[in-house]
Amino acid sequence: MEGGSAAPEELPEIITNKDEMRKWSRAMRCRGKTIALVPTMGYLHQGHLSLVEKAQSLADVVVVSIYVNPGQFSPSEDLSTYPSDFHGDILKLGSVSGCRRVDAVFHPHNLYDYGNIGRKGERDIVEELSEEREKGPPASGVSSCVEEMGAGHETWVKVERLERGLCGKSRPVFFRGVATVVAKLFNIVDPDMAVFGKKDYQQWRVIQRMVRDLDFGIRIVGSDITREQDGLAMSSRNVRLSPEDRGKALSISRSLFQAKSLVERGQTTNCSDLRGTLVQAISGAGGKIDYVEIVDQESLETVGEVDRPVVICVAAWFGNVRLIDNIEISG
């Protein structure tokens, strides 16, 4: 892909209808092809493209879904400001780092439209939810944007224990929404495998557990974090950081690597000490801590000593942007 464009024949097939997506997948299976799915919310960066490359190495054909899921946002969160560049995404997927193009892009208008709320696309929903948000929180308490838009959707997938901690503490509807929309995508696309980035570590583990518990015949692949040259974990939200806040946000990745180095050099395995080091570094740089936790890689339960494989997980605000990052330690 040269000059930021791709020839029409290089662009992936775009599918917006659920039934058409199912037909496409069935046709691939009839031809003996294996299918990999890379679920995204769009505004793709190199981190997403690395997931695509991973998927291409594992399956015959690759589907990338682009869907900003209202079910994982509460009405007070940033659904209305989530960045979008569908045209740019398609051009990027036309040629991935010299690899073959993505085979299909599934870009549904609204996965919660059951014929009772009209033909609303995601931007229509966002505008309505912005208006509702100005009226204040719902009387019923915590809910997602799906409940707010009155779609009549009432079936949710909850991974009870794994979703409770970390991001689940401050985002109580998030993992319910993620697990539900991923289950919907699995039922529609019917992939053999799906690739998720480990930057969203808890999400990756939640999906793994959902697939195991509900007997989805799908292999869940975790792909390592892709970072900017200065170490910042790639995220679609990074574009909303001011230059000053972006510089301060480097304290997250730097303190994570420092903590891992302390363990590997044998200087400390005490999680309280390690956590204190991270909190001091991030807060000292001007970040507002959501959480800093050191947890078992499988159970996501907090540990007191690094005596097993652990992951240090961080969520912090810089300006009005919430960033997450993590680092695995073998223990």
Side-chain angles (χ1 to χ4, degrees):
M1 185 167 62
E2 298 179 359
S5 62
E9 63 270 14
E10 294 176 337
L11 298 179
E13 181 176 355
I14 301 171
I15 303 170
T16 60
N17 180 273
K18 291 184 283 188
D19 291 335
E20 290 302 315
M21 186 69 250
R22 289 188 177 99
K23 289 179 182 177
W24 187 94
S25 293
R26 288 166 184 163
M28 291 300 109
R29 291 197 177 284
C30 286
R31 292 164 54 185
K33 304 291 187 181
T34 55
I35 303 170
L37 171 66
V38 180
T40 81
M41 295 207 301
Y43 209 74
L44 305 181
H45 50 67
Q46 187 55 45
H48 294 110
L49 300 183
S50 72
L51 303 183
V52 173
E53 292 177 30
K54 183 74 171 179
Q56 289 178 329
S57 72
L58 298 171
D60 297 320
V61 295
V62 173
V63 178
V64 173
S65 64
I66 297 178
Y67 180 64
V68 180
N69 172 37
Q72 68 194 57
F73 290 84
S74 73
S76 63
E77 292 180 321
D78 60 352
L79 175 63
S80 62
T81 59
Y82 197 86
S84 175
D85 180 17
F86 184 69
H87 178 69
D89 290 344
I90 295 302
L91 293 179
K92 291 173 184 176
L93 295 173
S95 178
V96 182
S97 300
C99 299
R100 72 180 191 270
R101 66 169 172 79
V102 166
D103 299 277
V105 172
F106 181 45
H107 182 52
H109 297 297
N110 178 11
L111 286 178
Y112 301 92
D113 180 1
Y114 306 115
N116 56 342
I117 57 174
R119 296 300 302 164
K120 296 178 183 176
E122 62 189 40
R123 291 299 156 190
D124 298 314
I125 295 169
V126 165
E127 291 176 5
E128 286 188 9
L129 291 170
S130 296
E131 294 173 0
E132 290 294 323
R133 192 173 298 119
E134 293 176 359
K135 299 176 184 178
S140 58
V142 175
S143 64
S144 77
C145 291
V146 169
E147 282 103 339
E148 288 291 295
M149 73 187 186
H153 181 91
E154 54 183 308
T155 304
W156 298 96
V157 179
K158 286 178 62 66
V159 180
E160 295 287 351
R161 184 174 53 77
L162 286 183
E163 70 174 41
R164 289 177 187 167
L166 303 175
C167 287
K169 291 181 180 178
S170 60
R171 305 190 69 188
V173 303
F174 179 72
F175 288 111
R176 181 192 73 165
V178 168
T180 299
V181 82
V182 171
K184 289 166 78 72
L185 289 170
F186 286 173
N187 285 330
I188 295 165
V189 179
D190 191 23
D192 296 280
M193 63 199 70
V195 182
F196 291 83
K198 287 187 182 181
K199 183 178 77 69
D200 301 284
Y201 198 91
Q202 187 177 14
Q203 173 179 278
W204 170 54
R205 290 302 194 189
V206 163
I207 298 304
Q208 278 187 323
R209 189 61 51 84
M210 178 191 77
V211 164
R212 185 200 73 176
D213 291 354
L214 298 184
D215 290 310
F216 281 98
I218 299 170
R219 176 187 172 193
I220 303 301
V221 178
S223 187
D224 291 336
I225 295 172
T226 304
R227 298 184 180 277
E228 304 283 359
Q229 288 187 348
D230 57 12
L232 186 68
M234 288 189 177
S235 168
S236 296
R237 289 186 169 93
N238 289 351
V239 69
R240 293 169 46 204
L241 289 166
S242 69
E244 181 181 2
D245 284 333
R246 193 195 179 288
K248 293 177 178 178
L250 293 175
S251 61
I252 299 177
S253 58
R254 288 171 180 169
S255 60
L256 283 169
F257 283 110
Q258 180 188 8
K260 182 174 183 177
S261 177
L262 290 172
V263 174
E264 291 179 340
R265 295 201 309 264
Q267 291 185 247
T268 184
T269 59
N270 182 275
C271 291
S272 179
D273 292 342
L274 292 168
R275 184 180 182 280
T277 298
L278 276 96
V279 169
Q280 183 178 11
I282 296 167
S283 299
K288 180 182 177 183
I289 301 288
D290 184 349
Y291 63 78
V292 174
E293 300 287 353
I294 304 173
V295 299
D296 181 274
Q297 288 185 15
E298 293 286 340
S299 70
L300 302 187
E301 294 179 352
T302 57
V303 298
E305 292 285 334
V306 182
D307 55 4
R308 71 196 80 174
V310 302
V311 57
I312 307 177
C313 297
V314 173
W317 293 84
F318 284 87
N320 63 350
V321 182
R322 182 179 182 272
L323 301 175
I324 62 172
D325 200 350
N326 66 77
I327 197 163
E328 292 177 306
I329 303 176
S330 58

